[in-house]
Every structure is written in structure tokens, then in C-alpha cells.
């Protein structure tokens, strides 16, 4: 690399990053977390743990026992999850992985930060003074009406006490 190339690289605009709040099988220790670690999908960096500011119904439904965050703000429970910063490539991958916009829709959600490991940098990179962040979340507005009456969870673990084991994609 020439000196000019190095200077041009320093001037190149930083890749746009987005925050994503994951509450289900994408969390650490869960069956689909590996897709966040796979550099072929893009970049994702763990920032911390949080909980939705508003309550939402988090239900486990369908023949594969998939966790679904129903887009019904104000109902359900404040849902716990993890905050990641992702590049545009990973965001596009997640859209496809989550079946967006048919199965899930990527929507903004306000999250209260419980633990923060993210960079201590510009105000855009930090939680607001009230300890909250705006993130994208994959929720759904297209669900069977009876799902609203399923038990609401405040946290998801594929091997949790709910007794509804997740059926991974590779087994379907």
C-alpha cells in the first residue's frame, strides 16, 4: 500500500452502523447466535444488555416454538435482551434471516441500558442521559390472534422453564 492509499483510507467515511436489540435465539448462548459471529454476514459487536422501555408481549409460538415479540407496545412485559451495533451488511443479512418484512418487521424501539460495554465515544455511541437507546428490533404485527393470549415472557431462553424447546432451522 502506498502512502497515498493509506491517506485515502483514513479519509474514507466510516461504515454506517445501526443498533439492534435481540431478545430471542440471536442472544449469546442461544441457537442462532452464531450468525452474529460469522464475518461473512457482516460485522456485529455486543454493546450491552437492556430491557424495552415499554412492555411488549414476548410469546413462544408456532410448530417450531419460535420467540415472537408482538408489536403491541404497552401490553405484555418489559423484555430483556442484548444490544448490538451492526454494519449495513449484517443489517441486510438479519433482515433476510428474520424474514423481514413478511415474518418480522424491523421497527425502532427504546431500550433501557442495564449493562454497557460499548465504546465510550461520541454522544451518538452512548446511551442518553436517561440511560436509554434507540435500537431496531425484529417484532411482528402479523400473527395469529390467539397468540396475544399466550403466556408473556420478560426474557427468552431456548431451554427455559417454559418447556417449549426451540426447533432449529437445520432440523426443519
Amino acid at each position: 500500500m502506498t502512502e497515498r492509499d493509506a491517506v485515502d483510507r483514513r479519509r474514507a467515511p466510516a461504515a454506517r452502523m445501526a443498533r439492534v436489540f435481540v431478545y430471542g435465539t440471536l442472544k449469546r448462548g442461544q441457537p442462532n447466535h452464531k450468525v452474529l459471529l460469522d464475518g461473512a454476514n457482516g460485522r456485529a459487536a455486543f454493546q450491552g444488555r437492556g430491557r424495552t422501555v415499554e412492555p411488549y408481549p414476548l410469546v413462544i409460538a408456532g410448530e417450531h416454538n419460535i420467540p415472537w415479540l408482538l408489536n403491541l407496545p404497552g401490553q405484555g412485559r418489559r423484555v430483556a435482551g442484548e444490544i448490538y451495533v451492526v454494519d449495513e451488511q449484517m443489517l441486510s443479512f438479519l433482515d433476510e434471516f428474520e424474514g423481514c418484512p413478511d415474518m418480522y418487521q424491523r421497527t425502532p424501539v427504546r431500550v433501557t441500558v442495564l449493562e454497557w460495554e460499548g465504546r465510550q465515544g461520541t454522544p451518538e455511541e452512548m446511551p442518553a442521559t436517561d440511560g436509554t437507546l434507540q435500537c431496531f428490533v425484529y417484532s411482528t404485527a402479523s400473527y395469529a390472534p390467539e397468540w396475544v393470549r399466550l403466556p408473556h415472557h420478560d426474557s427468552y431462553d431456548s431451554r427455559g422453564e417454559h418447556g417449549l424447546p426451540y426447533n432449529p432451522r437445520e432440523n426443519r
Side-chain angles (χ1 to χ4, degrees):
M1 176 184 329
T2 69
E3 184 177 338
R4 180 180 173 90
D5 291 335
V7 170
D8 288 344
R9 288 185 93 165
R10 284 193 302 261
R11 287 187 189 150
R16 284 191 27 189
M17 304 294 277
R19 285 198 188 94
V20 177
F21 179 73
V22 300
Y23 56 84
T25 64
L26 290 171
K27 293 189 309 185
R28 295 182 294 184
Q30 298 303 308
N32 292 324
H33 181 68
K34 60 188 173 280
V35 304
L36 290 175
L37 303 176
D38 187 344
N41 300 330
R43 288 189 7 229
F46 178 79
Q47 299 287 286
R49 292 184 332 98
R51 187 173 298 280
T52 58
V53 170
E54 287 193 84
Y56 288 85
L58 171 59
V59 301
I60 302 168
E63 66 178 308
H64 302 296
N65 295 323
I66 295 171
W68 299 87
L69 189 72
L70 306 185
N71 194 355
L72 294 170
Q75 298 183 36
R77 299 181 179 189
R78 293 183 61 219
V79 177
E82 297 173 349
I83 303 160
Y84 288 82
V85 64
V86 301
D87 65 8
E88 290 183 42
Q89 181 182 343
M90 180 62 78
L91 193 61
S92 293
F93 171 83
L94 290 172
D95 283 351
E96 185 176 324
F97 185 81
E98 297 289 9
C100 186
D102 300 323
M103 270 180 56
Y104 290 94
Q105 297 80 49
R106 179 168 32 105
T107 57
V109 67
R110 199 103 196 123
V111 174
T112 300
V113 175
L114 302 174
E115 292 177 15
W116 186 249
E117 295 180 14
R119 279 186 42 197
Q120 306 295 320
T122 66
E124 295 80 31
E125 297 168 326
M126 301 290 297
T129 55
D130 65 357
T132 65
L133 289 171
Q134 184 85 9
C135 300
F136 286 122
V137 69
Y138 290 92
S139 62
T140 187
S142 48
Y143 50 86
E146 61 271 14
W147 286 11
V148 176
R149 294 186 298 278
L150 292 172
H152 297 174
H153 303 272
D154 58 4
S155 184
Y156 175 80
D157 184 326
S158 62
R159 298 168 304 277
E161 293 179 10
H162 49 71
L164 300 168
Y166 174 74
N167 183 22
R169 292 171 183 230
E170 55 271 14
N171 296 344
R172 299 179 197 166

